[in-house]
């Protein structure tokens, strides 16, 4: 394992991850756009021999609202802020006629058909582990429902990506106990430390935005033995692939160079580089976002040929270790 490894993970959540009562009007087009762009991504991944991890919200496995309603846990997350829970106003959220905002069984089947990607869990209901009010017991029930709905679709879950990267040791132990072997941790820099919404201050978010274009936290690559330090393998993220923004369009090249330089560093040094994003991030400005992704994958091809930089799913990396 002296060659570098390229990890891509996607948080596949559709409306459940960006949900509130105003979201349909403000963001519904991006959610619908994600369905088409995901198929484009699958084709790009095939063209470039990429093996990706799709961390999928359990709700997405269902085909209809009725199917979901018939498969809800009795014990649900009791967030202090009830607006965080999809269960609070489930009838309202599912009152929109377009099931494409919420369910993606057909897309999950297309991912499975490729037979190269990993389908991981993003919890059953997009569960926030560090928000006040919820409990570890509620999380375990949520995870069990995610495992069951995946199993009903002939998928064995081995990897978890925590929504908003919220986790601590108690939740990791629950995952280990239930057969999960790896998770996506946060970058090692303090500005990416796992926290609830109150910890995501304006200052922290500003630093993360700046780090997208300027190297202020390093390449965020890491050695294989670093992953092996924990029983439940921590495969930290290296970079969030921010979507195109008209406001920051003049800095797009800096964003690409930030990623390109880190990938090159990982390939030369035999390290892991882990890139992630949400499919719905590409639901708007699709052409520009796909253009950037193609540039990144073309650079991967170069590194693969020159340094044997290898694309793996998170579970494959965990298995090799």
């Amino acid at each position: 394992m002296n060659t570098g490894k390229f990890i891509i993970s996607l948080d596949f959540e559709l409306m459940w991850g960006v949900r509130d009562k105003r979201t349909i009007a403000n963001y519904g087009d991006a959610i619908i756009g994600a369905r088409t762009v995901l198929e484009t991504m699958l084709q790009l991944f095939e063209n470039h021999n990429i093996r990706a991890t799709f961390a999928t919200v359990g709700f997405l496995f269902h085909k209809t609202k009725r199917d979901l309603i018939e498969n809800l846990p009795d014990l649900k997350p009791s967030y202090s802020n009830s607006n965080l829970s999809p269960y609070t106003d489930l009838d309202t959220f599912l009152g929109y006629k377009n099931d494409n905002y919420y369910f993606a069984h057909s897309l999950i089947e297309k991912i499975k058909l490729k037979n190269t990607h990993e389908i991981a869990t993003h919890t059953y209901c997009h569960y926030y582990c560090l928000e006040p009010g919820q409990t570890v017991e509620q999380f375990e029930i949520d995870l069990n429902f995610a495992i069951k709905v995946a199993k009903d679709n002939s998928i064995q879950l081995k990897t978890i990506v925590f929504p908003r990267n919220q986790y601590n040791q108690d939740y990791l132990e629950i995952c280990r106990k239930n057969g999960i072997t790896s998770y996506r941790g946060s970058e090692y820099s303090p500005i990416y430390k796992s926290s609830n919404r109150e910890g995501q201050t304006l200052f922290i978010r500003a630093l993360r935005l700046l780090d997208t274009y300027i190297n202020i936290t390093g390449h965020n690559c890491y050695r294989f033995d670093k992953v092996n330090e924990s029983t439940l393998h921590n495969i930290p993220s290296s970079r969030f692939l921010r979507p195109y923004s008209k406001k920051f369009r003049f800095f797009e090249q800096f964003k690409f160079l930030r990623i390109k330089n880190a990938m090159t560093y990982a390939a030369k040094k035999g390290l892991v580089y882990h890139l992630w994003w949400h499919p719905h991030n590409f639901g708007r400005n699709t052409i520009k976002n796909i253009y950037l992704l193609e540039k990144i994958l073309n650079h991967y091809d170069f590194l693969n040929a020159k340094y044997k930089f290898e694309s793996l799913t998170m579970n494959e990396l965990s298995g090799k270790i």
Side-chain angles (χ1 to χ4, degrees):
M1 293 236 345
N2 57 351
T3 58
K5 307 300 178 188
F6 184 40
I7 307 295
I8 285 181
S9 63
L10 298 98
D11 297 5
F12 189 22
E13 57 198 36
L14 295 183
M15 191 62 75
W16 301 110
V18 291
R19 181 199 62 255
D20 63 42
K21 293 188 176 76
R22 301 180 302 278
T23 301
I24 294 291
N26 294 343
Y27 208 72
D29 62 320
I31 298 299
I32 298 302
R35 305 183 71 87
T36 301
V37 81
L38 189 140
E39 296 191 49
T40 302
M41 288 179 191
L42 287 175
Q43 187 59 56
L44 280 176
F45 291 162
E46 183 174 344
N47 294 346
H48 294 270
N49 297 312
I50 295 294
R51 306 175 71 85
T53 295
F54 288 82
T56 307
V57 170
F59 281 6
L60 297 185
F61 282 89
H62 298 295
K63 298 178 181 178
T64 64
K65 302 167 189 175
R66 181 175 180 177
D67 187 21
L68 173 61
I69 296 296
E70 292 176 352
N71 290 276
L72 298 180
D74 292 330
L75 188 61
K76 302 173 178 64
S78 53
Y79 302 117
S80 299
N81 179 0
S82 61
N83 289 327
L84 295 176
S85 174
Y87 299 108
T88 305
D89 294 314
L90 195 59
D91 290 339
T92 299
F93 291 127
L94 296 181
Y96 298 97
K97 293 182 179 180
N98 195 344
D99 283 354
N100 287 332
Y101 290 127
Y102 305 101
F103 306 114
H105 183 271
S106 62
L107 291 178
I108 293 170
E109 288 299 307
K110 289 180 180 179
I111 296 169
K112 284 172 58 180
L113 283 174
K114 295 296 181 182
N115 205 31
T116 54
H117 306 304
E118 175 188 12
I119 296 179
T121 185
H122 202 36
T123 73
Y124 189 60
C125 75
H126 206 262
Y127 193 104
Y128 304 122
C129 292
L130 298 185
E131 296 299 336
Q134 55 75 40
T135 68
V136 173
E137 179 186 9
Q138 292 167 358
F139 170 73
E140 183 164 21
I141 290 173
D142 181 273
L143 180 62
N144 286 334
F145 267 74
I147 291 171
K148 180 182 182 301
V149 75
K151 185 177 180 180
D152 290 343
N153 286 270
S154 303
I155 297 167
Q156 182 181 15
L157 298 177
K158 303 300 290 184
T159 300
I160 185 169
V161 170
F162 292 94
R164 297 183 183 169
N165 286 332
Q166 292 188 13
Y167 61 89
N168 62 29
Q169 193 58 46
D170 292 337
Y171 295 89
L172 295 178
E173 177 57 28
I174 292 296
C175 292
R176 188 199 62 76
K177 187 176 79 171
N178 286 277
I180 302 296
T181 58
S182 64
Y183 70 101
R184 187 181 71 205
S186 302
E187 292 92 322
Y188 294 123
S189 168
I191 70 172
Y192 293 104
K193 183 180 179 181
S194 181
S195 67
N196 58 28
R197 295 184 74 176
E198 290 185 358
Q200 306 300 313
T201 64
L202 182 61
F203 178 67
I204 290 294
R205 284 184 281 130
L207 286 177
R208 290 181 179 180
L209 178 62
L210 184 63
D211 195 38
T212 300
Y213 305 101
I214 302 172
N215 187 347
I216 63 175
T217 64
H219 292 308
N220 290 309
C221 308
Y222 46 90
R223 303 185 313 274
F224 303 113
D225 57 357
K226 188 70 175 177
V227 177
N228 203 28
E229 287 179 356
S230 55
T231 304
L232 186 64
H233 289 147
N234 179 9
I235 304 176
S237 59
S238 301
R239 177 64 40 210
F240 169 54
L241 179 57
R242 287 185 181 272
Y244 175 85
S245 168
K246 187 175 181 180
K247 184 186 298 184
F248 299 108
R249 62 188 181 277
F250 298 113
F251 302 101
E252 278 292 291
Q253 183 63 11
F254 293 100
K255 181 170 67 178
F256 170 65
L257 290 175
R258 178 86 166 93
I259 294 170
K260 178 183 177 182
N261 291 339
M263 288 174 64
T264 302
Y265 181 83
K268 288 181 175 179
K269 300 292 185 180
L271 304 176
V272 180
Y273 184 78
H274 187 167
L275 187 68
W276 72 278
W277 68 93
H278 311 88
H280 65 251
N281 293 146
F282 284 23
R284 288 175 174 168
N285 301 305
T286 299
I287 293 176
K288 294 183 182 297
N289 285 314
I290 289 296
Y291 172 73
L292 176 60
L293 179 58
E294 283 194 279
K295 287 176 65 176
I296 292 170
L297 297 184
N298 284 336
H299 186 58
Y300 163 75
D301 290 341
F302 168 77
L303 297 175
N304 174 259
K306 187 170 183 178
Y307 301 104
K308 300 189 183 304
F309 199 39
E310 183 182 12
S311 172
L312 295 175
T313 68
M314 292 177 65
N315 184 47
E316 286 172 335
L317 178 62
S318 176
K320 282 180 177 290
I321 294 172

